[in-house]
Every structure is written in C-alpha cells, then in structure tokens.
Amino acid sequence: MRNETNQASILIVEDNDINRIVVEALLRKYFKIESVINGIDALKAVEEKYFDIILMDIHLGDGELDGIEVMKIIRKNSKYNFIKIFAVTAYFDDKQWFLDQGFDDMYIKPVIKEEMLEAINNIFSEKNKAEELSKIQNISENN
C-alpha cells in the first residue's frame, strides 16, 4: 500500500555514509526517502513499508548479503513485483549483466543527478503518476 502522503517512496540501500547522504539530499525534497545500510535491513524495510523504487548498492560492506543477493530475494516474492530495483555501483559497467540478474536498470557511481532523475521520471511515466512527473520536471527546470 502506498504511503499516507501518496508521495513516491524510494528505499536507498547504501553502506557508504557519504554516498547515502548525497543521494538522500538529491531526492529527499521530492520523494519519500528511507535509507538502510545493509541487506538485512533492506529486506526488513521492504516487508514493513511500501516502496516504488529501490536504489541498491551492489557491494554492501556488512559481509552478509550483497545487493545482488538482496535483489534476488525480493524478486522471489511476487507481492513485490511492482518494485523497480536499480543497481548502483562504482565497480562494474556491464549494464546488460545487471539487467540479466534481475535489476530494472543500473547506474555507475557517482550517479549524475540528471541521469537519476530521468530514470525515476521514466518509472513514474510507466505508472502514469502525473504528480510525480510534475515534480521531476520542476527539478529539471529549477536546476
């Protein structure tokens, strides 16, 4: 179920504090943002709350689950089929490999603001979310 404000929800899964703060700052004023630092917490968050998009770091430093494993666990549960999961990594540039694993898209760090906003715009275009599209267009016009 969508959150009480009907605002688009994004889960950021990122173990690096600086990277997480940058992405949060980029998106927080336009979307409902939640952040976690490891795969276990990501799985708990998905179980407890509604998210439209997950921005998944691939190399999570906790040693338990990496971003690929977390994505595959989420994909196994059909009740989460609507969630778009983007791989976000500094180490690989083989986008097709990530798509073949089950990600909806892949971005290389540092993520460029326009690239990230365009990707989110595309997701909400597909879902016919006029309100979210308007917000993204305003971001582009104001920056």
Side-chain angles (χ1 to χ4, degrees):
M1 172 178 273
R2 197 149 206 173
N3 64 66
E4 60 280 353
T5 64
N6 205 32
Q7 189 177 24
S9 292
I10 299 174
L11 175 63
I12 301 167
V13 184
E14 172 63 67
D15 64 323
N16 180 286
D17 292 337
I18 293 171
N19 291 341
R20 189 174 57 259
I21 290 167
V22 168
V23 175
E24 286 175 359
L26 170 67
L27 300 175
R28 185 169 300 285
K29 62 182 174 178
Y30 306 105
F31 305 100
K32 182 170 175 27
I33 301 295
E34 181 157 332
S35 297
V36 297
I37 61 171
N38 62 55
I40 300 298
D41 288 345
L43 295 172
K44 288 178 188 174
V46 168
E47 185 65 33
E48 295 171 1
K49 297 180 182 172
Y50 176 99
F51 295 101
D52 295 290
I53 297 172
I54 300 173
L55 303 177
M56 182 74 66
D57 181 31
I58 297 304
H59 295 285
L60 300 170
D62 67 359
E64 290 189 33
L65 295 170
D66 66 24
I68 297 166
E69 293 168 316
V70 175
M71 177 273 303
K72 288 182 177 185
I73 292 168
I74 293 168
R75 291 286 189 234
K76 285 181 184 178
N77 190 330
S78 63
K79 75 179 184 178
Y80 303 127
N81 284 344
F82 64 91
I83 300 175
K84 300 296 182 184
I85 306 176
F86 296 167
V88 183
T89 182
Y91 301 105
F92 297 100
D93 61 358
D94 186 354
K95 184 174 184 172
Q96 189 57 52
W97 186 86
F98 285 97
L99 297 177
D100 292 344
Q101 297 304 303
F103 286 97
D104 293 292
D105 212 338
M106 176 268 207
Y107 297 93
I108 299 172
K109 294 178 193 175
V111 175
I112 299 167
K113 180 179 180 179
E114 292 77 19
E115 181 181 359
M116 181 62 68
L117 292 174
E118 181 179 343
I120 294 170
N121 184 16
N122 289 338
I123 294 301
F124 293 114
S125 290
E126 294 170 12
K127 292 183 172 185
N128 296 317
K129 305 291 186 201
E131 184 178 340
E132 285 84 356
L133 288 172
S134 167
K135 290 177 186 176
I136 291 170
Q137 290 168 349
N138 287 337
I139 294 169
S140 297
E141 291 170 5
N142 293 330
N143 292 316

